[in-house]
Amino acid sequence: MEQAYSRIEHNGLKDRVVSADVAASWIQDGMTLGLSGFTRAGDVKALPFALVERAKNEPSFKVDVFTGASLGSDVDKIFAEAGILRKRLPFQADPTMRKKMNEGEFHFVDQHLSHTSEMLRANTMEQIDVAVIESIGITEDGMIIPTTSVGNSLIFAENANEIIVEINLAQSEELKGVHDLYSPGKQGERQPIPLTKPDDAIGNKGIPVDLNKIKGIIFTNQPDSPSNIVPPDEETKVMANHLIDFLKSEVDQGRLTKSLAPLQSGIGSVANAVFHGLLESDFENLKVYSEVLQDAVFDLIDAGKVDFASCCSITLSEPKMNEVFGNFKRYKDRLILRPQEISNHPEIIRRLGLISINTALEMDIYGNVNSTHVRGTHMMNGIGGSGDFARNARLAIFVTKSIAKDGDISSIVPFVSHVDHTEHDVDVLVTEQGYADLRGLAPRQRVELIINNCAHPMYREQLMDYYHSALQKGGGHTPHDLEKAFSWHGQYEKEGTMRQLVKV
Ligand code: COA
């Protein structure tokens, strides 16, 4: 216990240690909670469980839960099962939560991840009653040091009336010094963010707080949930190779050097495979300016390919977690963990000229991308940071497999059933079939390129038939036959396949 208390360096705070049950008793029905946690890293691991227990005695108990992104430790699952949510934002990735949200049991606000802090600061949505933040410890001068993610913890602490700190003894104290906490201040009053390189440190090493707001401190001792990405397979390796071919051609044409430009990659197995593919490439002295760092970034650091990586969260598989956090000194000088509004800030993304790689559920023949809604209605995870990056990147690249559900779904469709990234924000599409570079092309110039290079051969003719019928029907700048544009989705719902049956 003495060891645990030594993590609270500020003597005036040591008497605020309480159990999770006591802290949960402070949360009132209708409150808005700001929980730390971003893509299974740095989430609070005790209070949510105590809260669910406490709510059992109060059937109508409901809270709003705001986070950085998805939570690990099954927190999103148990919140959804307990039925205690009124509103959840800005991102989730849990199957139980997904199901309940799509059944309309609670409201989910799918938000660009850089926007939550601006809305809290501007008071345009609910303010945080209680922030609950995972920490490796509190410094002598009262700063809360985050753990494996920063996410929205800084703005939650700034905005909240009260703060509960979960000091997680399982999180390495070596993390101290790796965080960089910068708050841009109010819109209209702020200065340019003084960050011109991915390795610029511009803020505090912890979250400075008014100590009177710290209501309680809980000790936990539980590692983060490991990531559930699968290692690269043949198909994701092929996609990675197409993307690397594209980047090589950019170097050959003198648009990029062998160091490319700072890289951002979204969550998931394809994005991880792409980074893996860079291991075998000629690129060198790479820099990463991303949201989440997955396993492959650490392999690239080990291989001497990546010099520096900036992020707001580190989410690793179990073996990689042991390797990285068991030997953190090796990586510490090459990493910075920032708030998500800084990792995803449009000003920085545009200034650094990022190469941004994110995943689509479906893409259409003109280059619009749907990353969130299955068949236009059912939320998968959320837009996450993909919109923050795509709109502002030097190169906005979207990857997806050309087919899903054993070929019954074509990921290239006449018209996406929900638009997250408009054709104006999308530069390059990549599938296992190849890539389509859409830059500078008008809608009619894009169609054949996308169909021939990215669609699965079994759907190419059907797609061309649709396009020709749309041309005949009325043409226009972006030819569509609106009666048929979503018939592929309709047919999948009725017949279980988008294939052939569609007569155009
Ligand atoms: N229609 C319906 N379902 C589809 C589909 C389509 N066009 N394309 C894929 N799917 C299904 C797959 O079959 C799979 O279903 P399953 O879970 O039942 O097996 C599921 O969607 C996930 O597809 P998968 O190919 O495994 O992709 P993924 O795990 O890489 O996830 C996204 C893809 C788009 C869901 C995910 O990347 C995401 O949520 N992106 C948005 C957020 C984001 O980009 N953040 C980036 C910054 S961090």
Side-chain angles (χ1 to χ4, degrees):
M1 215 42 186
E2 202 178 306
Q3 198 205 348
Y5 275 86
S6 71
R7 295 231 187 167
I8 310 172
E9 288 172 8
H10 189 289
N11 285 329
L13 295 174
K14 289 191 198 264
D15 61 358
R16 299 201 198 164
V17 174
V18 291
S19 70
D21 292 337
V22 168
S25 73
W26 299 331
I27 311 293
Q28 301 302 310
D29 178 39
M31 277 186 164
T32 299
L33 310 180
L35 306 189
S36 72
F38 194 105
T39 321
R40 301 166 82 79
D43 38 53
V44 283
K45 298 171 176 70
L47 185 113
F49 290 85
L51 193 62
V52 165
E53 277 307 306
R54 179 223 136 125
K56 282 183 182 160
N57 309 322
E58 227 178 298
S60 61
F61 181 93
K62 291 215 189 288
V63 285
D64 297 336
V65 173
F66 299 0
T67 62
S70 56
L71 302 177
S73 316
D74 280 340
V75 170
D76 278 333
K77 178 172 183 271
I78 60 133
F79 275 165
E81 281 172 351
I84 66 166
L85 292 174
R86 188 173 59 183
K87 185 188 277 189
R88 173 81 175 85
L89 66 80
F91 185 81
Q92 67 78 46
D94 178 77
T96 308
M97 178 165 272
R98 183 180 300 142
K99 183 168 179 291
K100 300 261 182 197
M101 153 206 327
N102 283 319
E103 287 166 359
E105 280 206 13
F106 58 91
H107 295 294
F108 175 65
V109 183
D110 178 23
Q111 214 165 52
H112 292 303
L113 296 188
S114 72
H115 282 192
T116 311
S117 51
E118 299 286 21
M119 289 193 177
L120 287 171
R121 207 176 274 122
N123 196 10
T124 48
M125 61 179 187
E126 296 84 347
Q127 299 292 281
I128 305 290
D129 293 300
V130 182
V132 194
I133 294 171
E134 186 178 83
S135 166
I136 53 169
I138 304 175
T139 60
E140 213 172 346
D141 51 358
M143 280 202 293
I144 301 169
I145 312 287
T147 60
T148 42
S149 71
V150 175
N152 274 323
S153 294
L154 177 61
I155 187 70
F156 289 162
E158 276 176 14
N159 191 260
N161 293 325
E162 290 174 342
I163 300 170
I164 297 168
V165 183
E166 283 197 7
I167 296 184
N168 186 350
L169 306 176
Q171 297 279 24
S172 167
E173 284 188 279
E174 290 287 345
L175 283 162
K176 206 170 172 178
V178 83
H179 307 97
D180 189 60
L181 283 294
Y182 178 87
S183 174
K186 279 194 174 164
Q187 282 178 323
E189 298 172 10
R190 65 177 61 153
Q191 295 298 311
I193 300 171
L195 194 157
T196 56
K197 300 189 302 309
D199 54 350
D200 280 344
I202 57 172
N204 292 308
K205 293 291 164 206
I207 303 172
V209 284
D210 170 359
L211 297 184
N212 295 320
K213 291 211 292 194
I214 300 186
K215 179 145 187 191
I217 299 172
I218 302 167
F219 288 123
T220 62
N221 196 346
Q222 186 186 321
D224 284 337
S225 304
S227 78
N228 40 20
I229 49 158
V230 291
D233 58 20
E234 279 318 305
E235 207 169 25
T236 53
K237 277 187 203 162
V238 170
M239 291 163 84
N241 287 340
H242 290 315
L243 206 153
I244 287 164
D245 284 347
F246 164 72
L247 293 174
K248 278 185 186 154
S249 79
E250 288 297 286
V251 175
D252 291 345
Q253 291 174 71
R255 295 177 182 143
L256 290 169
T257 67
K258 276 191 169 183
S259 305
L260 299 177
L263 297 161
Q264 176 268 331
S265 106
I267 46 162
S269 307
V270 175
N272 194 53
V274 168
F275 269 34
H276 244 281
L278 294 173
L279 272 173
E280 309 296 326
S281 70
D282 293 336
F283 303 125
E284 55 195 17
N285 302 119
L286 300 170
K287 301 220 171 358
V288 173
Y289 193 85
S290 199
E291 223 179 55
V292 181
L293 301 187
Q294 303 189 110
D295 288 20
V297 171
F298 291 86
D299 294 331
L300 286 166
I301 293 177
D302 287 344
K305 289 276 184 192
V306 162
D307 295 341
F308 199 87
S310 166
C311 63
C312 73
S313 159
I314 301 176
T315 304
L316 303 172
S317 65
E318 197 161 10
K320 206 63 181 172
M321 210 187 269
N322 295 333
E323 199 183 309
V324 169
F325 295 119
N327 198 1
F328 199 67
K329 279 200 183 93
R330 189 154 113 216
Y331 301 102
K332 198 165 168 173
D333 292 345
R334 287 155 190 262
L335 295 176
I336 285 186
L337 273 158
R338 309 179 189 277
Q340 69 198 65
E341 75 168 319
I342 302 299
S343 62
N344 292 29
H345 204 289
E347 177 187 333
I348 312 291
I349 295 165
R350 188 67 72 93
R351 180 180 296 145
L352 299 182
L354 297 198
I355 297 174
S356 165
I357 305 157
N358 291 290
T359 314
L361 278 175
E362 60 179 7
M363 307 157 165
D364 68 31
I365 55 172
Y366 297 108
N368 297 292
V369 167
N370 171 12
S371 289
T372 57
H373 284 69
V374 174
R375 290 191 298 288
T377 55
H378 282 58
M379 174 57 68
M380 178 61 97
N381 299 325
I383 194 165
S386 55
D388 291 326
F389 289 102
R391 163 85 32 114
N392 299 292
R394 168 197 310 240
L395 268 174
I397 302 170
F398 281 91
V399 296
T400 189
K401 294 178 183 173
S402 68
I403 48 174
K405 305 295 175 208
D406 297 324
D408 285 322
I409 291 178
S410 171
S411 305
I412 315 295
V413 288
F415 205 162
V416 287
S417 55
H418 174 93
V419 188
D420 289 300
H421 311 291
T422 76
E423 38 116 358
H424 310 281
D425 297 334
V426 177
D427 294 319
V428 181
L429 300 179
V430 183
T431 70
E432 80 290 348
Q433 302 295 323
Y435 69 82
D437 179 356
L438 308 180
R439 292 171 297 171
L441 299 185
R444 289 182 187 216
Q445 291 179 296
R446 294 173 168 211
V447 176
E448 256 184 80
L449 191 68
I450 294 174
I451 294 175
N452 290 336
N453 292 14
C454 297
H456 194 281
M458 75 168 101
Y459 282 107
R460 284 183 194 160
E461 207 183 315
Q462 266 179 254
L463 286 164
M464 281 311 293
D465 286 349
Y466 170 81
Y467 177 59
H468 288 132
S469 93
L471 276 175
Q472 274 171 6
K473 181 108 188 211
H477 180 67
T478 306
H480 265 304
D481 178 346
L482 290 179
E483 279 170 18
K484 290 181 181 159
F486 300 115
S487 62
W488 291 40
H489 299 88
Q491 183 188 294
Y492 179 77
E493 243 165 71
K494 279 198 227 108
E495 313 283 348
T497 183
M498 289 181 172
R499 244 182 329 231
Q500 293 296 325
L501 310 170
V502 178
K503 298 275 181 287
V504 287

